[in-house]
Amino acid sequence: MKEKKRRKKIFAAGIALILIVVYAVRVIAVNNSCKKEEYAVQQGESIEVQGMRISVLDAEMKKMSAESKWANLQDESEEGYDMILTVQYENISDQPISRCIVTETMLQSGGWTNGMNGMHFMEINEESGDTSLKVGEKKILKVPFAMYSYQFQPKDWEKIEEREFVWVLTGAPVKNMILLNGE
């Protein structure tokens, strides 16, 4: 009787193992067939996304002051930097664009990612916040991103100005990005 139970357990474990292997093979096959496509250009070059030609004219990193109304510093000892991108948007479609790609973009560096700082965006763009484009219109906007010391390891924070950053415009179906420094 014990032998029968033991055989059933071994048989069930074998079936479970086979199902797990089949499932894993299918997941790997699906993931390999659906590789995410990436398209990147260097700072200064333009990329065409959603009817716009977009290029980063300048990327400036500067220390954040604790008095800045957009600064989200937790205490006196904490440090922060702003990465401010000067971006030219051009409507190359035959339709007006109600808003440029701004709020849904991300700044990335290694494992760190952060979205655009909305309060700072309004302040440095004369609080207009107008991101619409008429047909053929060009507009230059400053797009700010905040980074804080608590978001990085201390050894990484010491070299924050040397890190490579990527501005990600869209994530799917194609990850469109602009490399801000480095290769």
Side-chain angles (χ1 to χ4, degrees):
M1 189 87 156
K2 287 184 180 182
E3 185 63 33
K4 229 180 191 182
K5 282 186 177 182
R6 187 171 169 262
R7 283 186 183 163
K8 282 184 180 179
K9 285 182 182 179
I10 291 172
F11 181 74
I15 295 294
L17 183 62
I18 290 170
L19 290 174
I20 289 170
V21 169
V22 168
Y23 179 76
V25 167
R26 289 298 304 144
V27 167
I28 291 169
V30 167
N31 285 339
N32 285 338
S33 69
C34 299
K35 288 239 186 244
K36 200 172 210 178
E37 193 176 334
E38 292 184 354
Y39 182 73
V41 298
Q42 294 289 332
Q43 178 179 329
E45 297 176 8
S46 56
I47 188 168
E48 294 182 7
V49 179
Q50 298 177 5
M52 290 175 276
R53 183 174 295 123
I54 302 170
S55 59
V56 174
L57 306 175
D58 187 40
E60 175 189 12
M61 184 182 291
K62 61 184 187 176
K63 272 197 178 264
M64 189 182 290
S65 69
E67 298 79 42
S68 302
K69 68 180 180 184
W70 62 87
N72 190 23
L73 301 174
Q74 306 296 322
D75 61 48
E76 300 285 321
S77 65
E78 200 170 285
E79 290 184 274
Y81 275 91
D82 283 315
M83 172 73 82
I84 301 173
L85 307 180
T86 303
V87 182
Q88 178 174 288
Y89 294 89
E90 179 182 4
N91 183 349
I92 56 173
S93 73
D94 58 357
Q95 301 283 324
I97 294 174
S98 60
R99 66 184 182 93
C100 297
I101 301 172
V102 177
T103 56
E104 56 275 346
T105 65
M106 304 295 270
L107 188 65
Q108 292 182 341
S109 178
W112 174 85
T113 301
N114 207 359
M116 191 254 324
N117 186 328
M119 286 177 50
H120 194 185
F121 176 82
M122 295 296 281
E123 182 176 302
I124 63 177
N125 288 293
E126 301 167 6
E127 305 215 18
S128 69
D130 181 21
T131 62
S132 63
L133 288 172
K134 298 175 183 132
V135 176
E137 181 182 11
K138 287 183 184 178
K139 185 176 282 190
I140 294 177
L141 295 171
K142 295 199 179 279
V143 183
F145 295 89
M147 53 195 100
Y148 304 100
S149 57
Y150 65 85
Q151 297 173 321
F152 294 85
Q153 295 294 324
K155 65 180 176 57
D156 294 329
W157 185 251
E158 290 172 10
K159 298 179 181 180
I160 192 74
E161 293 183 44
E162 299 168 21
R163 289 180 69 105
E164 293 182 1
F165 289 90
V166 175
W167 186 34
V168 179
L169 301 167
T170 59
V174 177
K175 184 176 182 179
N176 289 293
M177 53 197 164
I178 298 176
L179 309 174
L180 299 174
N181 47 7
E183 303 258 331

